[in-house]
């Protein structure tokens, strides 16, 4: 598949599966060197997100370690996403129980050990940032060792609140640690992920692929998209925003994206704005130094073709 324009980055995916997390696992397994999957409480409680990550690993038939991590945010009470993902975190399909055992229950140590033993690891968190923040706090040395952090989260608007996107809003203190870590940071926020929708035509293309894996994914996205559209004004979206894979594809296929370099801070105290990514887009010269590549545009047709190709690859 590598088209000369793409890379094969070494990725550790931290996730809270989650339908779009599941698609991020598929994209990372297909187009990156996936060295590990860690799980965090988010779309569902930790035991569910961990179970779902194990289900995906076995469905893909990949040999990648899965380690569970934080069951709650640094300070906030845990919040979940059953309204979008269902009580299991991955409702909508008849999924086979996983048989491969969990590799460990200390994701933070796994993250630290992996970043210390391997060069050029990209940390790709696509759920609340609790595990990543704890790893950076426990082992500050990894900040200079990793290739960077490519995360899904934030934006100029919210989804869980008017200003809070779920991954940042669920654990703002953790997000503040990550956005302040000082290394390379790429942010796939709602401004770009809402350009990337599971339209009925795209879901139909997945359903038309041969093999049971494709059929399962079509069912999952039928459910995910139905829930998403039911919670949005008619016509405002044509399908669920498939957020998480973009944090992977920006590393494997960077030419499909446009980005801007901004300073992004995390609001941790505001009564109405806690969990907001405060993005400084002013053109005045004495603004804060940029700390983040904020993705602004994606070639969504080409990017979705990559996802469909990846599902096809694993569906035979
Ligand atoms: O706001 C979207 C994010 O919250 C995605 O990562 C989705 O999986 C949920 O975790
Ligand atoms: Ca997620």
């Amino acid at each position: 598949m590598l088209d000369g324009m793409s890379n094969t980055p070494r990725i550790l995916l931290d996730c809270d599966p989650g339908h779009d997390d599941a698609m991020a696992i598929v994209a990372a397994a297909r187009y990156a060197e996936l060295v590990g999957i860690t799980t965090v409480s988010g779309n569902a409680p930790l035991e569910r997100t961990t179970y779902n990550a194990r289900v995906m690993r076995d469905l893909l038939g990949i040999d990648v370690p899965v380690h569970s991590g934080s069951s709650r945010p640094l300070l906030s009470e845990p919040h979940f996403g059953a309204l979008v993902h269902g009580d299991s975190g991955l409702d909508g399909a008849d999924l086979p129980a996983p048989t491969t055992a969990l590799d460990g229950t200390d994701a933070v140590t796994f993250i630290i050990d992996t970043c210390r033993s391997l060069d050029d690891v990209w940390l790709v968190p696509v759920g609340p940032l609790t595990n990543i923040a704890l790893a950076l706090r426990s082992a500050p040395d990894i900040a200079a060792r990793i290739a960077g952090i490519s995360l899904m989260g934030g934006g100029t608007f919210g989804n869980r609140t008017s200003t809070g996107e779920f991954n940042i809003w669920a654990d703002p203190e953790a997000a503040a640690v990550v956005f302040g870590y000082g290394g390379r940071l790429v942010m796939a926020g709602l401004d770009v992920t809402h350009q990337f929708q599971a339209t009925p035509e795209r879901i139909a293309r997945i359903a038309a692929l041969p093999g049971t894996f494709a059929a399962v994914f079509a069912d999952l996205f039928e459910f995910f998209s139905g829930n998403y559209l039911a919670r949005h004004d008619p016509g405002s979206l044509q399908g669920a925003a498939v957020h998480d894979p973009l944090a992977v594809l920006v590393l494997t296929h960077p030419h499909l994206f446009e980005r801007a370099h901004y300073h992004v801070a995390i609001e941790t105290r505001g009564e109405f704005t806690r969990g907001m990514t405060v993005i400084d887009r002013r053109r005045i010269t004495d603004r804060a130094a940029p700390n983040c590549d904020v993705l602004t545009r994606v070639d969504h047709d080409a990017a979705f073709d990559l996802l469909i190709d990846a599902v096809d690859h694993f569906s035979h």
Side-chain angles (χ1 to χ4, degrees):
M1 150 64 215
L2 301 188
D3 56 9
M5 298 274 282
S6 51
N7 312 315
T8 311
R10 176 173 287 159
I11 281 180
L12 193 161
L13 186 72
D14 184 74
C15 55
D16 61 334
H19 294 71
D20 53 328
D21 305 71
M23 193 58 103
I25 294 171
V26 174
R30 179 69 183 98
Y31 300 120
E33 180 191 349
L34 182 57
V35 297
I37 297 171
T38 51
T39 59
V40 66
S41 167
N43 285 321
L46 179 67
E47 51 281 358
R48 285 304 318 183
T49 60
T50 303
Y51 180 90
N52 294 337
R54 292 176 54 218
V55 165
M56 285 308 303
R57 173 176 60 176
D58 283 1
L59 272 176
L60 290 167
I62 54 177
D63 180 16
V64 175
V66 175
H67 291 255
S68 62
S70 305
S71 60
R72 56 163 303 125
L74 297 185
L75 283 185
S76 301
E77 286 305 309
H79 292 282
F80 307 120
L83 271 180
V84 179
H85 299 277
D87 290 334
S88 75
L90 207 48
D91 281 13
D94 183 15
L95 298 172
T99 53
T100 310
L102 182 65
D103 295 85
T105 57
D106 183 354
V108 172
T109 299
F110 173 74
I111 292 166
I112 293 168
D113 291 349
T114 302
C115 295
R116 283 176 172 164
S117 59
L118 296 176
D119 293 334
D120 302 322
V121 172
W122 275 94
L123 296 178
V124 182
V126 294
L129 294 164
T130 318
N131 291 337
I132 308 300
L134 288 170
L136 289 167
R137 275 261 177 83
S138 308
D141 60 292
I142 66 172
R145 278 196 52 77
I146 60 176
I149 297 175
S150 178
L151 64 87
M152 189 279 139
T156 60
F157 57 94
N159 52 14
R160 195 60 178 249
T161 69
S162 58
T163 57
E165 175 282 322
F166 177 76
N167 290 341
I168 308 298
W169 172 86
D171 195 342
E173 283 71 26
V177 171
V178 171
F179 278 78
Y181 96 103
R184 285 192 68 189
L185 184 62
V186 181
M187 175 180 130
L190 297 180
D191 303 83
V192 72
T193 66
H194 275 219
Q195 300 170 32
F196 193 58
Q197 299 175 19
T199 63
E201 179 269 336
R202 287 167 174 168
I203 295 175
R205 287 174 61 195
I206 294 173
L209 294 173
T212 51
F213 182 73
V216 164
F217 246 87
D219 289 345
L220 287 173
F221 271 75
E222 202 66 53
F223 171 88
F224 180 46
S225 232
N227 259 14
Y228 221 92
L229 292 176
R231 300 183 61 240
H232 283 79
D233 292 342
S236 61
L237 288 168
Q238 280 65 52
V242 189
H243 309 280
D244 294 341
L246 295 190
V248 173
L249 293 178
V250 68
L251 302 180
T252 59
H253 298 79
H255 58 286
L256 299 182
F257 294 83
E258 292 176 14
R259 64 189 75 197
H261 212 41
Y262 293 131
H263 182 271
V264 180
I266 306 299
E267 177 57 68
T268 57
R269 288 195 286 269
E271 181 181 356
F272 301 106
T273 55
R274 177 167 161 79
M276 179 179 181
T277 47
V278 182
I279 305 170
D280 190 345
R281 295 180 288 172
R282 294 175 298 167
R283 304 300 302 269
I284 56 173
T285 51
D286 68 349
R287 63 182 175 277
N291 61 341
C292 182
D293 276 352
V294 176
L295 302 183
T296 56
R297 188 186 168 279
V298 59
D299 177 345
H300 55 79
D301 282 327
F304 220 96
D305 286 349
L306 288 170
L307 289 192
I308 292 170
D309 289 348
V311 172
D312 190 28
H313 174 81
F314 288 107
S315 195
H316 288 102

